[in-house]
Amino acid sequence: MTTKTDKTIIAFLLALQDLNTSLSAQEKQNLQEVAKQLDTQPRAWESHIEESLLEIIFANGELNKFYKYYQSQLKNVEKIPHDLLPNEAEISSLITRDKLGIAKGFKPNSEATGYERQLNNVVVIIGNSEKPEETVKQAIFLGKLKQYLTQSNPSN
């Protein structure tokens, strides 16, 4: 079984996981604002939130480089198998590793459903963590996803 998901969020999470430097205080604050908006108003993703996330990405050269790489990888993938996306157990493991990531992502104020909500939850938890670039490295599903992309794009 596969699902069509927003590739901006996936490419961002993959890029953030590859980031070798820490985000600046301003970048962390901006990411926290994106997480807050995504938690409270996920329907505003296309009209407002996605643009805010892209601003964070484009302002950081290293993050932008990784983001563009993963966007190109994801371009060739129409649907991602469900087992490569986060489940509630994995999201819970991110919360326990980061005390600031309180179960905020599990009670969304939105009507987002299924894997869209799960990806939103990951962004909310990571965005609210003190060290998002370290918290995202704990997301096991991203490693599986990278492996899948490598297999789906053998020329890269």
Side-chain angles (χ1 to χ4, degrees):
M1 191 172 231
T2 59
T3 188
K4 187 170 173 60
T5 57
D6 188 281
K7 294 177 182 175
T8 301
I9 288 178
I10 294 173
F12 165 70
L13 290 170
L14 291 167
L16 185 61
Q17 191 176 53
D18 284 356
L19 195 63
N20 296 315
T21 58
S22 294
L23 295 174
S24 70
Q26 185 63 52
E27 289 169 327
K28 288 177 186 178
Q29 184 178 343
N30 294 347
L31 182 57
Q32 188 173 28
E33 183 59 32
V34 166
K36 178 181 173 186
Q37 292 172 356
L38 195 55
D39 187 36
T40 59
Q41 306 170 345
R43 288 181 166 213
W45 171 250
E46 290 180 4
S47 65
H48 179 70
I49 301 169
E50 182 177 23
E51 182 180 324
S52 297
L53 181 61
L54 290 172
E55 287 174 11
I56 295 168
I57 294 167
F58 297 152
N60 182 311
E62 184 182 12
L63 186 61
N64 188 29
K65 179 182 81 169
F66 290 130
Y67 174 79
K68 286 180 178 178
Y69 170 75
Y70 286 114
Q71 276 289 75
S72 70
Q73 294 277 298
L74 288 163
K75 183 173 55 174
N76 300 323
V77 177
E78 189 169 317
K79 293 190 176 191
I80 297 171
H82 287 289
D83 62 330
L84 297 179
L85 296 171
N87 57 37
E88 288 190 35
E90 183 161 4
I91 293 171
S92 293
S93 73
L94 292 175
I95 293 171
T96 59
R97 288 191 173 106
D98 190 276
K99 294 177 185 149
L100 294 177
I102 300 172
K104 191 172 185 167
F106 285 101
K107 295 181 182 172
N109 300 326
S110 69
E111 296 177 23
T113 58
Y115 287 97
E116 175 187 319
R117 184 181 71 223
Q118 298 297 60
L119 288 169
N120 290 358
N121 290 343
V122 172
V123 174
V124 169
I125 292 166
I126 290 168
N128 284 308
S129 69
E130 200 171 303
K131 297 182 179 179
E133 61 281 345
E134 291 179 18
T135 304
V136 74
K137 291 186 186 334
Q138 305 303 320
I140 298 166
F141 80 95
L142 292 173
K144 294 183 215 171
L145 193 51
K146 286 178 186 177
Q147 190 173 19
Y148 175 76
L149 290 174
T150 301
Q151 293 168 354
S152 298
N153 297 287
S155 61
N156 292 343

